[in-house]
């Protein structure tokens, strides 16, 4: 595979750099990390700027409202925006990276027309309603029930770790529509309006002190059948599409961020004398090789998805997600070594990131789940009983 950039791709990079140089100084001050309504406004404002400049939805197909850019152009966009210190997708990462691509791949023309443009224009926020208190890592054992009543589903149950639920307009919701079917076959994927009667949201505070997650309780919530993406009881297949995007491309920008942090760690180690430790130098060198390899794996995964004609990442996304989760934890453990006793100071750079990194081997499917996927779908090993 030739991974060299073409003249057209380098021209795209130059235009993007020029635009970022003009756009970023015009941004308002970034709000407090704990003020999610203000962060919603800030993040959606940035998304609108991207949309107006022609950089929104680069990785989305044209018929879904995207720009139809090549996978390489999308990766160049992620590289350059991270290097320039541009805002992350923030409050609307579910809409841009999970729900939006899923609807683009599985939704009807009417669903695409209704839900995708507002995401790209920075007008609506989505959250994810997959995990449940009693399901753990076994997502297929979810119990939230949806009963058909004419043109609506009546939903009862609860969800946990619902990202940005308190500021979301919509939720990608998994429900059980056939309790008698085998557990993977009785699930349906719904788009839930978060202002529907019967929804209660309780924010959850994380180890790092932030509250971007919430519990969501659903009591006789009515959802139109037209909000169903895919067929009834075919939600597990649709969910695999969502999780493919979540594991295969949603963390791509963070690899670039980790490479930037690694360079900052090396400079900090030189400044405070920790660079004299050969063990630390070898550790940082190994991480540099790790993140370079992850970036190449990302290039391969997105190219494979494009070549498949579906644009949906395959099982290779689980390889990426598995290794990236652990590499991120190793990076911030190395940061603690560089900081020494200051690694206990929550006001120091990288300390809160270290606490956040602990969740990465759980989020978007635990490492145990990813190992099962790699073993069964890539290596062809028999399923456990």
């Amino acid at each position: 595979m030739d991974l060299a950039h073409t003249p057209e791709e380098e021209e795209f990079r130059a235009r993007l750099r020029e635009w970022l140089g003009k756009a970023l100084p015009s941004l308002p001050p970034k709000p407090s990390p704990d003020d999610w309504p203000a962060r919603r406004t800030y993040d959606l404002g940035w998304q609108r700027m991207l949309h107006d400049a022609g950089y929104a939805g680069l990785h989305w197909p044209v018929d879904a409202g995207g720009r139809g850019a090549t996978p390489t152009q999308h990766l160049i966009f992620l590289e350059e925006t991270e290097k320039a210190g541009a805002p992350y997708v923030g409050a609307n990462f579910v809409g841009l990276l999970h729900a939006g691509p899923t609807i683009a791949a599985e939704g009807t023309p009417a669903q695409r027309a209704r839900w995708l443009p507002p995401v790209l224009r920075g007008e609506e926020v989505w959250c994810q309603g997959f995990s449940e208190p009693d399901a753990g890592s076994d997502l297929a054992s979810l119990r939230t029930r949806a009963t058909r009543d004419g043109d609506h589903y009546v939903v009862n149950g609860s969800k946990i770790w619902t990202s940005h639920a308190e500021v979301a307009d919509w939720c990608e919701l998994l429900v059980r529509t056939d309790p008698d079917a085998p557990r993977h076959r009785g699930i349906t994927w719904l788009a839930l309006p978060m202002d529907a009667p019967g929804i209660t949201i309780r924010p959850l505070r994380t180890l790092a002190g932030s509250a971007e997650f919430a519990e969501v309780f659903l009591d006789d919530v009515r959802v139109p059948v037209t909000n169903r993406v895919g067929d009834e009881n075919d939600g597990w297949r649709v969910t695999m599409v969502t999780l493919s995007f979540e594991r295969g491309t949603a963390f791509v920008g963070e690899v670039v961020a980790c490479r930037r942090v690694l360079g900052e760690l090396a400079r900090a180690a030189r400044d405070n004398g920790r660079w004299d430790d050969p063990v630390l130098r070898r550790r940082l060198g190994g991480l540099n090789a790790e993140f370079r390899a992850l970036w190449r794996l990302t290039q391969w995964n997105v190219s494979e998805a494009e070549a498949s004609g579906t644009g949906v990442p395959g099982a290779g996304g689980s390889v990426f997600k598995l290794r990236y989760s652990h590499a991120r934890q190793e990076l911030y453990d190395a940061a603690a070594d560089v900081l020494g006793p200051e690694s206990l100071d929550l006001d120091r750079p990288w300390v809160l990131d270290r606490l956040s990194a602990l969740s990465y081997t759980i989020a978007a499917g635990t490492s145990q789940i990813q190992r099962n996927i790699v073993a069964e779908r890539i290596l062809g090993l028999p399923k456990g009983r």
Side-chain angles (χ1 to χ4, degrees), residues 78-366:
L78 294 173
E79 279 187 300
E80 294 301 322
T81 50
E82 176 58 38
K83 288 178 181 177
Y88 183 54
V89 289
N92 201 20
F93 82 92
V94 173
L96 287 166
L97 305 180
H98 306 173
T102 300
I103 294 168
E106 297 291 333
T108 66
Q111 290 171 339
R112 289 183 174 195
R114 167 57 189 91
W115 287 317
L116 299 185
V119 171
L120 293 180
R121 290 194 299 260
E123 295 171 355
E124 292 181 345
V125 168
W126 284 68
C127 61
Q128 186 179 65
F130 282 16
S131 299
E132 294 188 4
D134 296 325
S137 300
D138 185 8
L139 180 59
S141 66
L142 65 91
R143 298 180 182 178
T144 295
R145 179 77 180 275
T147 304
R148 185 73 175 262
D149 181 21
D151 293 334
H152 288 77
Y153 290 105
V154 180
V155 182
N156 286 278
S158 66
K159 298 291 179 176
I160 198 168
W161 309 124
T162 309
S163 305
H164 308 311
E166 69 275 22
V167 295
D169 303 290
W170 295 91
C171 175
E172 50 176 6
L173 183 72
L174 292 188
V175 295
R176 187 163 298 283
T177 40
D178 186 352
D180 298 322
R183 59 183 189 148
H184 292 85
R185 298 180 185 175
I187 294 171
T188 298
W189 201 106
L190 298 177
L192 168 72
M194 291 299 288
D195 60 354
I199 297 177
T200 301
I201 300 171
R202 296 178 186 171
L204 295 168
R205 193 160 295 277
T206 69
L207 179 67
S210 59
E212 66 266 29
F213 299 116
E215 292 179 288
V216 176
F217 299 90
L218 306 122
D219 298 302
D220 290 334
V221 179
R222 298 183 68 84
V223 181
V225 173
T226 52
N227 286 19
R228 185 186 68 219
V229 176
D231 293 333
E232 186 170 294
N233 298 325
D234 191 35
W236 187 254
R237 184 191 61 80
V238 179
T239 300
M240 292 303 100
V241 174
T242 305
L243 295 180
S244 293
F245 284 114
E246 185 175 18
R247 296 164 184 169
T249 57
F251 293 111
V252 170
E254 296 187 25
V255 174
V256 184
C258 286
R259 293 175 69 180
R260 173 184 53 78
V261 170
L262 187 59
E264 294 172 356
L265 279 179
R267 289 189 290 272
R270 290 187 177 95
D271 291 341
N272 68 10
R274 292 287 292 139
W275 190 252
D276 296 334
D277 183 351
V279 175
L280 177 65
R281 291 202 305 272
R282 285 196 296 271
R283 188 176 189 182
L284 296 181
L287 283 167
N288 181 53
E290 184 85 41
F291 285 113
R292 287 173 65 88
L294 281 168
W295 185 249
R296 291 304 190 189
L297 177 60
T298 295
Q299 292 176 306
W300 187 87
N301 281 342
V302 297
S303 296
E304 183 188 42
E306 186 71 14
S308 72
T310 66
V312 179
S318 288
V319 178
F320 169 85
K321 200 290 178 169
L322 175 63
R323 190 52 226 161
Y324 170 70
S325 298
H326 291 272
R328 184 181 178 90
Q329 291 179 350
E330 292 167 7
L331 172 67
Y332 287 105
D333 282 347
D337 282 349
V338 171
L339 290 174
E342 294 180 348
S343 64
L344 301 177
D345 183 355
L346 295 179
D347 293 326
R348 285 301 306 257
W350 310 315
V351 176
L352 290 178
D353 291 318
R354 187 187 183 204
L355 296 179
S356 175
L358 297 175
S359 70
Y360 275 67
T361 47
I362 300 172
T366 66

